[in-house]
Amino acid sequence: MGRSRRTLPEELLLLALDPTTGTTAQPQSLDLGLAGAQLVELALAGRIAPDGDRIAVVVPRPTGDPTLDCALELLRRRGAPVRAVHWIGGPRLGLRQTYLSHLERCGMVHAVAGQMCGVLPTTRYQATDTEISREIKARLDSAIRTGVPPDPRTAALAALAHAVGLGKHLYPGNEGRSSRSRLRDLIRHDPMGGLVAHAVMDVQNGVAAQPRRSPAPAGRQAPADGRGAPEPARGVPAQPHRGSMARAAAH
């Protein structure tokens, strides 16, 4: 399979695949990263576009990739732009296995059956051509080493790799510290990749899904659904409504 036919989810998964153990690094956050990588790939294909912190479908025409087209159809059914953090944080059962099976069908990995503790059946995946994984990582290495702004695809891949915590897997130990730092800095070179990567990290950190908004001007009532109402500062309890205090005092 040529480079032009590899999608970002596939490349992210190949980066995470340990060539020695056949397991994937950061499996839990990787699932979020794969969902985010689908969004970036659809954006690169011109099917979706960022709308603030939301994702809007602009061309619903299928891409020809079944897994991407499934995601595109789900986005289309929403009928309105969806927040990236909501999409990435939604259920994605079997997404990693879907891409592992796809890579196996493409001949890029092969499944190795085994057992855990001599009882539980397990399946590991070994790369059939490690040159592909080396080529993918070489793009990141080049962007880190040269400091030249990478192409959008490589920038998005770097942003996603950082967001799911692959930095220590790709650049381990103290000697890799500066490379991990520069990998993080590449997040600024692609707006869509940056949006998605921050959404992945927000989901992992449990950040509230409501976007931050400016407080309503004095004398202007906030909407009934609470949007536009300022959030209390961290560590400062929300003050009760004055009317509530008066009623409490009356009792």
Side-chain angles (χ1 to χ4, degrees), residues 15 27 37 51 65 82 85 88 90 94 96 106 114 116 120 124 140 156 187 190 195 197 228 240 250:
L15 277 180
D51 181 5
D65 181 299
V82 58
V85 71
I88 292 170
R96 181 162 29 115
C106 293
M116 180 183 296
L120 299 176
R124 300 176 185 274
L140 297 184
I187 199 171
D190 180 62
L195 168 65

Side-chain angles (χ1 to χ4, degrees), residues 24-194:
T24 53
Q26 304 296 113
Q28 294 182 341
S29 57
L30 181 60
D31 290 343
L32 301 176
L34 291 173
Q38 286 185 316
L39 293 180
V40 179
E41 189 66 43
L42 287 170
L44 290 171
R47 301 308 196 267
I48 65 175
D51 181 5
D53 64 348
R54 298 175 183 267
I55 304 298
V57 175
V58 293
V59 177
R61 186 177 68 253
T63 65
D65 181 299
T67 309
L68 289 176
D69 289 341
C70 179
L72 179 62
E73 176 61 15
L74 290 174
L75 285 167
R76 187 193 66 80
R77 290 178 184 177
R78 295 291 184 96
V82 58
R83 292 197 68 213
V85 71
H86 284 165
W87 174 260
I88 292 170
R92 294 289 180 275
L93 295 178
L95 187 58
R96 181 162 29 115
Q97 185 58 50
T98 295
Y99 275 107
L100 283 169
S101 298
H102 171 72
L103 291 177
E104 185 180 17
R105 288 192 301 271
C106 293
M108 299 175 70
V109 302
H110 67 275
V112 180
Q115 288 184 331
M116 180 183 296
C117 301
V119 179
L120 299 176
T122 62
T123 303
R124 300 176 185 274
Y125 292 85
Q126 299 286 347
T128 56
D129 185 357
T130 55
E131 181 61 30
I132 295 176
S133 297
R134 286 197 293 267
E135 181 271 334
I136 297 171
K137 185 172 180 293
R139 285 160 46 207
L140 297 184
D141 293 343
S142 177
I144 286 173
R145 183 178 62 255
T146 65
V148 176
D151 61 275
R153 180 175 295 274
T154 301
L157 181 62
L160 288 163
H162 166 71
V164 302
L166 290 183
K168 290 184 178 180
H169 169 72
L170 298 172
Y171 306 102
N174 289 332
E175 64 275 14
R177 183 177 299 174
S178 60
S179 293
R180 293 196 298 269
S181 177
R182 287 193 287 270
L183 179 72
R184 179 194 62 218
D185 292 341
L186 291 176
I187 199 171
R188 70 182 187 275
H189 289 294
D190 180 62
M192 185 65 181

